Amino acid sequence: MLRRRAQEEDSTVLINVSPPEAENRGPYGSTAHTSEPGGQQAAACRAGAGSPAESRIADFVLVLEEDLKLDWQQNSASRDRTDTHRTWRETFLDNLRAAGLRVDQHDVQDGNTTVHYALLSASWAVLCYYAEDLRLKLPLQELPNQASNWSAELLAWLGIPNVLLEVVPDVPPEYYSCQFRVNKLPRFLGSDNQDTFFTSTKRHQILFEILAKTPYGHEKKNLLGIHQLLAEGVLSTAFPLHDGPFKTPPEGPQDPHLNQRQVLYQHWAHWGKWYKYQPLDHVRRYFGEKVALYFAWLGFYTGWLLPAAVVGTLVFLVGCFLVFSDIPTQELCGSKDSFEMCPLCLDCPFWLLSSACALAQAGRLFDHGGTVFFSLFMALWAVLLLEYWKRKSATLAYRWDCSDYEDIEERPRPQFAASAPTTAPNPITGEDEPYFPERSRARRMLAGSVVIVVMVAVVVMCLVSIILYRAIMAIVVSRSGNTLLAAWASRIASLTGSVVNLIFILILSKIYVSLAHVLTRWEMHRTQTKFEDAFTLKVFIFQFVNFYSSPIYIAFFKGRFVGYPGNYHTLFGVRNEECAAGGCLIELAQELLVIMVGKQVINNMQEVLIPKLKGWWQKFQLCSKKRKAGASPGASQGPWEADYELVPCEGLFDEYLEMVLQFGFVTIFVAACPLAPLFALLNNWVEIRLDARKFVCEYRRPVAERAQDIGIWFHILAGITHLAVTSNAFLLAFSSDFLPRAYYQWTRAHDLRGFVNFTLARAPPSFAAAHNRTCRYRAFRDDDGHYSQTYWNLLAIRLAFVIVFEHVVFSIGRLLDLLVPDIPESVEIKVKREYYLAKQALAENEALFGTNGAKDEQRQGSELSPHWTPFRVPKASQLRQ
């Protein structure tokens, strides 16, 4: 039963606080500390040593850069806005203190700029309270490390030394874990040591959850959370602190006191470790499951690229050998003036087919019988890649205890909870939680889909305009009267068209990403995972059209609707483009190599240079301000200042997008470019260490986020895999010479002699009479320009090939899907074992305490059936007890 939310007072928002008295406030408000949250649970937590917050500098940092000169130059409206922002900051910090956080303020005067740092930390009692409220999973019992690698096991079985293996110090242990309960504290492993019981990532998660749900104004105006404060410019940034510097101490890398960041730098982010296994458990411990799953996927995908690159290189080498022994290519190169070809455009001259010898030889590198085998191989490779990734993902999710994260543990987004119009009972707990009607969300998603279709149509219109631009520019330049320009007319048109296309892509990308953010927020998705999945799908559809529209046009449309001499087809009065002399497949291969390799080189240069330039500029600005203020730039600085000089982490979306687009190039058009997996493999070897170095050395530490898998990216990869099968079938059938050659061998000459003449038609008599000469063109037509019987025979063969190829590949893929279980048998056995032990423990507890006690025990802390409840933060009265 739905209930509309009552109009509540401002004291009943997500974090219910009554700000304490504040004195001596700065831009952040007072730095006086409130008492710790109390009550019976807090009392249980206070047993033992003092607060671990006393031994740490801070867990989280809020930063505000304040330009003092603006205070003198502002008008009344700007001053009102500044005062409003100051009030919001003071209220926000007061509410954080009321929620039990400790806030220490440090101000750094740099000339006309003051940088305010608010250092946040939580006491032992606060950590215990919110860990239970957030239902964090904490360790109960240590297990032997279960990390395994199939290649390491294979090399060990063969007795071959494994150069990829490296012993990384401080290996994170594995645990049985369950949701934390204060009244069960002694049962949790390490509960006697308050300094280490909550890891740094757990503390960051607790503090970030509090920051995300703390109000600074009225809830109905959506004035809550750190996200809104950053978007409004009330705060400059917010980030958790790194564990220390990444450079190793003077004692050397073998020093036993290396922090987690130094271990990651020494054994993961170092360039010399490019051939070593990634220490994924260390990455997960420091950055969280979401980042670790990205690097696990990237490493897994890179490892699977190795056999694809080897087979693709062998296919390319076979093509190199066939270049010099292929009879049709030899006939074309030796034809001299035997075949005079019709003009390729309105004002282009007649030309000799023998002048295209180099292009024909280059096309033979990619267009031969081995390409068919390689296309079939890559289709099955992609299916197996995803099947075994599902197994790998299930294994990691079990080991990292996040198998049920999305279904049970994940909390509603703070923005959703604040904006949901109604409440409804949760089907599991029966408690009220924020609710948005599914029908309303469906209507909004449908409206958003219409906007997406419109934006995709705009991209297609831009593509058509670029095609027309190239054709018109080639005609204009060829008529210029300049011999040099006329000779390079097509190249000039292609180059300038690429520049215009790039400008369109950049402008539309900026507009669309902003629009996708607005649409996704408007759709009111309940959890962060669903929000990110919806945003990812919108942006990927747009980027897919952006990046793949040009190759798709060359592969399937260019040269298909040209017509014949004397009756050429036009688009808006401009003659349709024809493929170059070597055919469309070699053009597609060139396009793929330029886009894929060029994009990889540019992206890697950007990933190397941009973070370094941003970091250098940040440090330069801060140092210059210190010099103006009279301070020494080399003076010691706090760790929060050192981390503030780093580059903000912008998430994993761009990293995933780059790899998924690369996966598309490797699979969708692999029939045209067998070397694509090799270039992808070389790029990814660099990409892994480059991304690792960014996260460890150049980025501020991101908040550790949990994740169950790679999200909607897996479904996008599966869609690309299915599209790749169809794409390669049509490429081989309609863009390659494989089927015409096979048809000619079956019906005419087995040695392919005369194949070049077989593929050329003669211009109609009317065209020859108008130009006083005859010419040839590539088509299966008769002398009147009508399709010949050979054309219809080949069309039937091509369509049959597409159907057979698709059915064979999809059938084998389905069979592999059935043969390869999604979850490894070893993991299934472990899950069943845990379920059995949980039932046994429940039965023993029921015998000891009775049925009610057992039910209460199950409700308070079941390891295998944790219950989801809405996020609730204690009232201020509870915190100050």
Side-chain angles (χ1 to χ4, degrees), residues 690-749:
L690 191 59
D691 288 347
R693 196 173 185 86
K694 286 192 303 185
F695 273 91
V696 174
C697 306
E698 297 167 0
Y699 281 168
R700 295 171 191 160
R701 187 173 183 178
V703 179
E705 296 182 68
R706 287 174 62 77
Q708 186 171 326
D709 47 38
I710 62 174
I712 200 172
W713 292 112
F714 178 83
H715 302 289
I716 291 174
L717 291 168
I720 290 176
T721 300
H722 286 79
L723 178 62
V725 175
T726 305
S727 171
N728 284 293
F730 276 93
L731 272 177
L732 293 172
F734 290 91
S735 298
S736 169
D737 279 342
F738 169 72
L739 290 180
R741 283 171 176 255
Y743 177 79
Y744 186 80
Q745 284 181 310
W746 295 337
T747 59
R748 306 295 175 88

Side-chain angles (χ1 to χ4, degrees), residues 187 844-854 857:
R187 298 189 182 183
E844 292 177 358
N845 190 45
E846 187 174 313
L848 287 173
F849 301 103
T851 304
N852 293 334
E857 182 74 16

